[in-house]
């Protein structure tokens, strides 16, 4: 990552030439830091505010250049809203707009004095970590597939000022965690943004292998089609059949815990392009189905974060990966396939392919006798209808696990929200010809998709994250978000029982 972030307890004598980032509240109220800087700059900030150029609205910015009589070159005023108490939503916009403003200036380094703003019920340690995550997010640029890469910013170094010296050590750990989360998110975003003709199952496999080689305590194994056949993954392979790209089954194993510690398994849907297959999708926005491997990307990204932090846990990342295309060999509606579990599946809609590859991955995960399994998938359009783009759908067969994941999402500001998985919904999956149908009719699409997966998790403590709404943004800011790497990391940090974290 190009931006280096560190923490310091700064004295105002030691500011160098950096850009100072200070907060202004609504009603022309200066933050403590702004007050201080105003003092050494002969009242410059107060003058500017009086003239009406900065009203303190959360997320507004104003760059002041060449303040007289001081060493630093710039002061960035950042609106921090009302009452010193921001919502997490406003806080995101404050940090993002501040970093975007510095990124677009000529500044090489900046010192951020926004750490003392109070965000909902969070402390300054939380703020430090989130600032790191949001800053890296704002600096992210995807230009791998552009011919010219002229968008490089000169902004390379960000120092977070920690007002209270006694918080410094904790803030250091927080920023380290934030940096690691961002590095996993950036990898997830890169993989998501790459097009289907580049980011194939083979590409995902080699990325995972490369990361595994670079990491400590991680091994990566890739199963090819033959090996999957031997294991009886008939459901996964039925989806792969319609494509000329060979399917890959990726297993990443981070051994950070004791040998006897049961692993936590993360499974990510890795459909590198979803055309729908024979039940083909409408052509509008079909390009966005290159993002159908964002579950896989988030698992590969989280494994990177886990490894960078050397979490004292055993974590296994599994990615079943293939394309879903129409072809003479492809699944046809009505086809019946046999899953690795032995259950037969009637493929009533070839576009419900995610569950067909995930079910075999879930069965495969049984061999690890996991403590918990979490699958992450862009599984249903219905989830976007239900929750929009703000929260992932959260379902599973263990209330304790669901609760932990829900809390982790809130804490990491990468939210998921529970939906019910009641037995009543299971009836929608009845098939006249096989053990189970792969679709459940028009109602409750996200729930019936999870019901399908639940048939393969009877031996597991399992939760499912439907990230169809949160994995990428559409419109002018089209691109992968890197979610839910932060949620997954937060959950895993919780599993370390305070050994890592603040
Ligand atoms: N990858 C899609 C889900 C999806 C669609 C995610 C749109 C984000 C935006 C998935 O494979 C799919 O096609 N699901 C179908 C299921 C249906 C056939 C039961 C859907 O949601 O329409
Ligand atoms: Mn589909
Ligand atoms: Zn899909």
């Amino acid at each position: 990552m190009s931006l280096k972030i560190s923490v310091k307890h700064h004295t105002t004598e030691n500011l160098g030439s950096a850009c100072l980032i200070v907060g202004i509240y609504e009603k022309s109220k200066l933050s403590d830091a702004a007050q201080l800087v105003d003092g050494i700059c002969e009242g410059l900030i107060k003058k500017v505010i009086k003239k009406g150029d900065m009203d303190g609205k959360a997320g507004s910015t104003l760059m002041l250049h060449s303040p007289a009589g001081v060493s630093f070159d710039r002061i960035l005023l950042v609106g921090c809203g009302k009452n010193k108490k921001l919502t997490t939503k406003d806080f995101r916009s404050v940090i993002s707009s501040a970093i975007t403003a510095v990124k677009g200036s000529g500044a090489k380094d900046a010192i951020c004095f926004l750490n003392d703003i109070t965000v909902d019920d969070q402390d300054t340690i939380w703020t430090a970590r989130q600032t790191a995550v949001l800053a890296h997010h704002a600096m992210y640029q995807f230009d791998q597939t552009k011919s010219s890469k002229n968008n490089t910013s000169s902004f390379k170094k960000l120092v977070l000022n920690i007002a209270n010296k006694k918080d410094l050590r904790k803030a250091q750990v927080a920023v380290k965690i934030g940096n690691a989360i961002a590095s996993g998110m950036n990898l997830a975003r890169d993989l998501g943004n790459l097009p289907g003709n580049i980011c194939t199952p083979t590409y995902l496999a080699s990325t995972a292998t490369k990361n595994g080689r670079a990491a400590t305590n991680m091994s990566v194994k890739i199963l090819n089609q033959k090996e999957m056949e031997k294991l009886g993954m008939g459901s996964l392979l039925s989806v792969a059949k319609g494509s000329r790209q060979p399917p890959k089954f990726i297993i990443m194993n981070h051994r950070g815990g004791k040998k006897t510690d049961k692993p936590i398994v993360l499974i990510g849907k890795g459909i590198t392009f979803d055309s729908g297959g024979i039940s083909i999708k409408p052509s509008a926005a079909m390009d966005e189905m290159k993002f159908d491997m964002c579950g896989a990307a988030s698992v590969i990204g989280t494994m990177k974060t886990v490894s960078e932090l050397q979490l004292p846990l055993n974590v296994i990342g599994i990615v079943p990966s293939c394309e879903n295309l129409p072809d003479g060999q492809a699944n046809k509606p009505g086809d019946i396939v046999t899953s690795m579990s032995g259950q037969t599946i009637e493929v009533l809609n070839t576009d419900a392919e995610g569950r067909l590859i995930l079910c075999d991955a879930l069965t495969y995960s049984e061999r690890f006798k996991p403590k918990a399994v979490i699958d992450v998938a862009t599984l249903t359009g219905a989830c976007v209808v239900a929750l929009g783009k703000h929260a992932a759908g959260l379902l599973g067969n263990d209330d304790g696990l669901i609760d932990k994941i829900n809390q982790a999402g809130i804490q990491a500001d990468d939210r998921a929200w529970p939906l019910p998985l009641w037995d009543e919904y299971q009836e929608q999956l009845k098939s006249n010809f096989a053990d189970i149908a792969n679709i459940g009719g028009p109602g409750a699409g996200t729930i019936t998709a999870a019901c399908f997966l639940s048939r393969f998790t009877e031996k597991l403590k399992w939760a499912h994250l439907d990230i169809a709404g949160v994995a990428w943004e559409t419109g002018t800011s089209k691109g992968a978000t890197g979610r839910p790497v932060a949620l997954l990391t937060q959950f895993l940090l919780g599993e370390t029982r305070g050994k890592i974290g603040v």
Side-chain angles (χ1 to χ4, degrees):
M1 277 177 307
S2 54
L3 187 67
K4 292 266 171 293
I5 307 183
S6 57
V7 296
K8 262 189 198 153
H9 173 68
H10 240 275
T11 60
T12 37
E13 294 101 60
N14 194 14
L15 295 170
S17 62
C19 172
L20 307 195
I21 305 174
V22 297
I24 306 293
Y25 300 109
E26 277 177 34
K27 297 199 180 131
S28 312
K29 200 169 167 335
L30 274 61
S31 64
D32 292 351
Q35 194 77 48
L36 207 77
V37 176
D38 191 58
I40 37 181
C41 293
E42 299 159 359
L44 173 66
I45 298 180
K46 279 194 187 127
K47 262 184 252 163
V48 167
I49 291 178
K50 223 183 204 152
K51 293 204 167 143
D53 287 15
M54 160 55 70
D55 58 9
K57 282 249 154 47
S60 59
T61 60
L62 181 68
M63 187 69 92
L64 308 179
H65 292 272
S66 313
V70 289
S71 65
F72 44 92
D73 292 338
R74 297 172 180 82
I75 305 169
L76 179 69
L77 304 183
V78 185
C80 291
K82 281 188 204 115
N83 300 335
K84 295 192 173 194
K85 196 153 165 111
L86 284 184
T87 60
T88 50
K89 173 177 169 287
D90 283 341
F91 175 69
R92 278 197 298 272
S93 108
V94 166
I95 301 298
S96 302
S97 52
I99 299 303
T100 306
V102 182
K103 178 188 179 187
S105 76
K108 292 189 187 64
D109 51 355
I111 306 176
C112 179
F113 289 90
L114 300 176
N115 199 244
D116 43 0
I117 55 182
T118 327
V119 184
D120 280 347
D121 298 319
Q122 303 291 357
D123 58 13
T124 58
I125 306 303
W126 183 91
T127 311
R129 170 172 141 186
Q130 287 307 105
T131 302
V133 173
L134 291 166
H136 287 301
H137 204 265
M139 292 303 288
Y140 176 85
Q141 217 136 20
F142 183 78
D143 55 15
Q144 273 188 66
T145 41
K146 299 250 193 193
S147 59
S148 64
K149 317 199 188 301
N150 52 6
N151 273 331
T152 47
S153 164
S154 42
F155 183 30
K156 300 284 181 228
K157 208 178 127 213
L158 176 67
V159 176
L160 307 185
N161 181 71
I162 305 299
N164 222 327
K165 200 168 182 180
K166 70 168 178 36
D167 290 336
L168 201 59
R169 218 188 45 79
K170 277 190 172 181
Q172 247 151 13
V173 180
V175 167
K176 187 179 149 201
I177 293 171
N179 283 340
I181 289 173
S183 126
M185 284 176 81
N186 280 2
L187 173 60
R189 293 176 88 180
D190 279 347
L191 290 171
N193 288 333
L194 282 168
N197 63 329
I198 297 176
C199 185
T200 58
T202 305
Y203 186 93
L204 285 181
S206 61
T207 303
T209 305
K210 216 169 61 198
N211 277 322
R213 285 211 189 101
T216 314
N217 293 325
M218 179 133 76
S219 64
V220 177
K221 195 161 117 183
I222 313 290
L223 305 184
N224 61 25
Q225 182 171 334
K226 276 231 166 73
E227 292 163 300
M228 288 185 252
E229 275 163 14
K230 268 196 204 128
L231 288 162
M233 295 180 167
S235 184
L236 191 170
L237 290 170
S238 78
V239 179
K241 272 189 316 181
S243 157
R244 299 186 193 191
Q245 290 294 336
K248 299 286 171 189
F249 194 91
I250 306 166
I251 306 131
M252 295 157 279
N253 198 335
H254 166 83
R255 293 184 184 81
K258 289 194 226 95
K259 251 209 163 112
T260 49
D261 290 351
K262 287 184 172 175
I264 290 157
V265 174
L266 308 175
I267 300 178
K269 171 178 171 183
I271 296 289
T272 57
F273 189 78
D274 181 12
S275 70
I278 298 296
S279 315
I280 198 156
K281 287 183 180 294
S283 54
M286 207 208 265
D287 66 290
E288 293 184 13
M289 283 298 114
K290 72 172 184 178
F291 294 119
D292 212 19
M293 36 54 70
C294 281
S298 76
V299 169
I300 297 173
T302 302
M303 293 307 288
K304 181 162 196 213
T305 304
V306 163
S307 156
E308 277 188 26
L309 292 172
Q310 280 299 302
L311 292 190
L313 298 170
N314 295 330
V315 186
I316 296 174
I318 297 180
V319 169
S321 180
C322 65
E323 290 183 320
N324 187 24
L325 292 177
D327 181 81
Q329 302 244 51
N331 269 335
K332 301 173 292 297
D335 281 2
I336 294 177
V337 301
T338 303
S339 66
M340 185 179 173
S341 73
Q343 296 176 85
T344 59
I345 302 163
E346 186 181 14
V347 183
L348 287 173
N349 189 318
T350 66
D351 198 10
E353 84 299 337
R355 59 199 80 180
L356 294 177
I357 69 168
L358 289 168
C359 68
D360 283 343
L362 285 163
T363 303
Y364 183 85
S365 77
E366 286 174 7
R367 69 186 51 210
F368 299 113
K369 306 211 165 21
K371 189 173 172 202
V373 178
I374 304 172
D375 80 77
V376 190
T378 48
L379 205 61
T380 62
C383 194
V384 194
V385 177
L387 294 168
K389 60 183 207 163
H390 302 299
L394 171 57
L395 306 100
N397 63 11
D398 187 276
D399 287 343
L401 179 61
I402 288 173
D403 196 47
K404 274 189 194 168
I405 294 171
N406 191 10
Q407 290 306 320
I410 292 167
Q411 182 65 14
D413 200 16
D414 181 8
R415 283 172 295 186
W417 203 252
L419 292 169
L421 194 62
W422 297 321
D423 280 346
E424 284 83 345
Y425 294 103
Q426 294 283 354
E427 285 159 32
Q428 289 177 236
L429 294 174
K430 274 195 181 137
S431 159
N432 283 358
F433 304 103
D435 299 342
I436 181 176
N438 81 326
I439 53 169
T446 303
I447 297 173
T448 53
C451 283
F452 180 93
L453 298 178
S454 76
R455 304 289 183 100
F456 302 84
T457 60
E458 254 142 38
K459 296 182 191 141
L460 303 167
K461 224 186 212 191
W462 157 78
H464 160 63
L465 286 164
D466 192 330
I467 59 163
V470 304
W472 73 92
E473 297 206 41
T474 54
T476 48
S477 46
K478 194 193 286 182
T481 59
R483 291 180 67 179
V485 169
L487 177 156
L488 294 171
T489 306
Q490 184 69 47
F491 170 79
L492 293 169
L493 285 169
E495 292 301 297
T496 69
R497 294 174 195 289
K499 274 193 229 157
I500 302 260
V502 281

